[in-house]
Amino acid sequence: QVQLVESGGGWVQAGGSLRLSCATSGSTFSINAMGWYRQAPGKQRELVASISSGGSTNYADSAKGRFTISRDIAKNTVYLQMNNLRPEDTAVYYCRMISSGLLYWGQGTQVTVSS
């Protein structure tokens, strides 16, 4: 059974940094892409950043220049380095993985940014 486990969320003041991690376990024969999404209260879940199997990255406009997605292939882990955080970044952050044509989600980790 494939599992995604996020960690690294927490509380931070505006301008601070956090690094999220998403570790995968189980049978992941072919990871096509991994990404980070977030959902704030009362809002739809939205893409923050993604990275393809070839290493290509994609960022939401709100994340460009502040967030960096990276991965450790050997560990099947993806990271999201978040710098210069803003109160509007407050949300539950979810890891998503596409592997062998199937879609998997993590349980989410809360990020709270105070002004």
Side-chain angles (χ1 to χ4, degrees):
Q1 183 178 358
V2 175
Q3 286 188 320
L4 280 65
V5 179
E6 300 105 331
S7 61
W11 177 89
V12 66
Q13 287 188 323
S17 298
L18 286 173
R19 187 192 193 211
L20 305 183
S21 299
C22 174
T24 66
S25 62
S27 299
T28 53
F29 297 106
S30 176
I31 296 177
N32 304 110
M34 296 190 75
W36 288 95
Y37 287 71
R38 69 186 182 187
Q39 187 167 18
K43 295 187 177 181
Q44 290 188 329
R45 192 172 297 187
E46 62 178 4
L47 172 70
V48 177
S50 64
I51 185 165
S52 71
S53 58
S56 298
T57 57
N58 182 48
Y59 295 91
D61 287 342
S62 59
K64 289 178 181 177
R66 300 188 299 128
F67 296 0
T68 303
I69 189 170
S70 62
R71 62 181 183 176
D72 185 327
I73 296 175
K75 295 181 179 179
N76 278 345
T77 299
V78 66
Y79 306 96
L80 184 68
Q81 177 66 44
M82 304 187 293
N83 299 327
N84 192 21
L85 283 160
R86 305 165 180 167
E88 53 264 38
D89 295 318
T90 295
V92 178
Y93 284 69
Y94 296 91
C95 178
R96 189 186 88 160
M97 179 178 73
I98 299 174
S99 175
S100 301
L102 299 177
L103 181 62
Y104 302 92
W105 289 95
Q107 82 288 352
T109 185
Q110 176 71 45
V111 171
T112 302
V113 184
S114 65
S115 58

